[in-house]
Amino acid sequence: STFSSSVQGYSYVHYAGHGYYHWRDPIQSGLQLADKTYTLSDILSDLELSSCRLVTLSACETGITEFQNAPDEYVGLPAGFLQAGAPAVISTLWAVNDLSTMLLMEHFYRLHLQDGLEIAAALRQAQLWLRDVTAGELVNRFGHEAQQLMTRMTKEEALTHWYRFEQMDDGERPFAHPYYWAAFTFTGA
């Protein structure tokens, strides 16, 4: 398929889009692509990721696994990517917020790729950073990057978030609630 041929040979595969867990038939869980849904069944049948170091599924419900009806095997997207050869997968346990996900992923990759932290440590540090970052820090950080922020989301979304941060007390932590950072999990080695 187009998806499998486009990701093979890369060290890092990052998916940002819509993912879902199919509760009645976990093998039909998947990632929504432009032209089709790439299911767990597709991953298991035609994906080979032995040269990949990390698959990041930065989308909703990509880390959920069936465990009650499958005592010997966990069925979910992380297990599928591990079976396809990727040694590590970052995924999510629930529907995630676009802005907090963008900030978390940006910080994670900087810590891992630029600073050299191992994947699990970089994810943990990025989660702690997102939990503790203040509105004042976000305004200072993106004050000179407002245009760049707007290229990552619609102008309306960016302005809504920007004005929200500017209206907060400088010390307020807009992403302190676990909803924003705790959904991200690391599976593998």
Side-chain angles (χ1 to χ4, degrees):
S1 81
T2 304
F3 181 75
S4 64
S5 63
S6 68
V7 299
Q8 292 182 17
Y10 286 94
S11 297
Y12 291 84
V13 174
H14 183 99
Y15 173 80
H18 179 68
Y20 63 91
Y21 186 76
H22 195 294
W23 289 97
R24 290 195 180 111
D25 188 6
I27 201 80
Q28 295 306 312
S29 300
L31 306 173
Q32 186 63 50
L33 305 177
D35 58 343
K36 73 172 235 156
T37 298
Y38 199 71
T39 67
L40 178 54
S41 177
D42 296 328
I43 292 164
L44 294 171
S45 66
D46 70 34
L47 198 57
E48 200 285 306
L49 295 172
S50 60
S51 66
C52 187
R53 173 64 188 112
L54 172 67
V55 172
T56 302
L57 303 174
S58 175
C60 300
E61 299 181 355
T62 54
I64 298 172
T65 58
E66 168 59 60
F67 62 91
Q68 292 182 354
N69 296 322
D72 295 331
E73 185 176 334
Y74 295 102
V75 179
L77 292 171
F81 280 99
L82 292 174
Q83 189 169 335
V89 178
I90 292 177
S91 56
T92 64
L93 298 175
W94 54 77
V96 293
N97 174 274
D98 288 341
L99 178 61
S100 61
T101 297
M102 178 194 75
L103 293 169
L104 179 81
M105 288 291 104
E106 180 181 75
H107 202 74
F108 161 75
Y109 281 114
R110 186 178 55 73
L111 290 169
H112 176 57
L113 297 175
Q114 291 178 3
D115 297 350
L117 266 62
E118 291 296 323
I119 295 168
L123 179 60
R124 180 180 183 277
Q125 288 299 318
Q127 288 172 307
L128 293 174
W129 171 82
L130 185 64
R131 180 193 70 185
D132 296 337
V133 70
T134 65
E137 290 169 330
L138 290 170
V139 168
N140 287 336
R141 176 160 179 223
F142 290 112
H144 63 284
E145 296 179 16
Q147 280 303 114
Q148 184 181 5
L149 179 64
M150 287 183 207
T151 63
R152 297 181 192 161
M153 58 183 65
T154 68
K155 186 174 183 177
E156 182 178 311
E157 289 173 320
L159 290 174
T160 299
H161 292 298
W162 180 257
Y163 290 132
R164 190 181 84 179
F165 297 146
E166 284 186 331
Q167 300 304 313
M168 293 178 175
D169 292 334
D170 282 350
E172 192 171 340
R173 299 178 346 195
F175 302 112
H177 193 280
Y179 162 74
Y180 294 107
W181 52 268
F184 293 84
T185 65
F186 172 76
T187 306

